[in-house]
Amino acid sequence: DDENILLLEQQDRKLWDRELIDSGISFLEKSLSDGEISWYHLQAAIAYQHVVASSFDATDWNAILLLYNILQQNFPSPVTFLNRAIAFSKVHGATAAIELILSSTEKEKLKKYYLLPATLGELFLKEKNFSVAKKHFEEAIALTNSAAEKKLLSRKIEKCIQ
């Protein structure tokens, strides 16, 4: 209501439109009837995992990581790599995900994409490495023009200096 970004883990799933979700699931099931799997099918399957979980904590991150593995193998992209790294962190922890990102050449393709430093900031925040997290959040702020994103990232910086 106050035009802030509401992260998935903060959302009240009781407010989600179950009728619309059920309709989407039905369309996904119908689209799979020919046995061909496309980029859209994989993206929809990832979304499916989120909407069938009763809460953020109940999300099947192993299934999501598997889907991202398939997506990255068949339809590789730097953004898919980053999204996969986030799912990877939910399964293997922040430290492993940081190592995955920093050791990859994909990060070079994302140098001007604010979600790379935002993701690293979040991972370092989880590791309680506040100074490094803050640096990444500041970099992300410099890379986005979105006022809402800047506000969200500023709130993340506040967590680093408390």
Side-chain angles (χ1 to χ4, degrees), residues 44-58:
I46 291 165
Y48 170 85
Q49 290 299 324
H50 287 293
V51 300
V52 298
S54 59
S55 67
F56 184 80
D57 291 335

Side-chain angles (χ1 to χ4, degrees), residues 8-106:
L8 186 59
E9 61 205 60
Q10 300 166 327
Q11 294 178 23
D12 181 353
R13 291 174 185 230
K14 292 181 218 113
L15 299 176
W16 289 3
D17 187 332
R18 294 309 313 175
E19 189 175 311
L20 191 58
I21 289 169
D22 291 342
S23 177
I25 291 170
S26 175
F27 283 118
L28 173 60
E29 290 169 349
K30 288 176 187 170
S31 73
L32 292 169
S33 64
D34 67 0
E36 187 174 324
I37 304 295
S38 70
W39 180 89
Y40 295 104
H41 290 108
L42 292 166
Q43 291 287 348
I46 291 165
Y48 170 85
Q49 290 299 324
H50 287 293
V51 300
V52 298
S54 59
S55 67
F56 184 80
D57 291 335
T59 303
D60 187 347
W61 289 105
N62 286 302
I64 291 173
L65 179 56
L66 175 64
L67 290 163
Y68 271 118
N69 288 343
I70 297 166
L71 190 62
Q72 186 67 16
Q73 181 178 8
N74 292 289
F75 307 97
S77 80
V79 172
T80 299
F81 163 79
L82 187 58
N83 291 340
R84 181 189 172 275
I86 294 166
F88 187 87
S89 77
K90 301 297 184 187
V91 174
H92 300 289
T95 300
I98 291 167
E99 291 171 10
L100 175 72
I101 294 169
L102 295 180
S103 67
S104 173
T105 58
E106 290 295 315

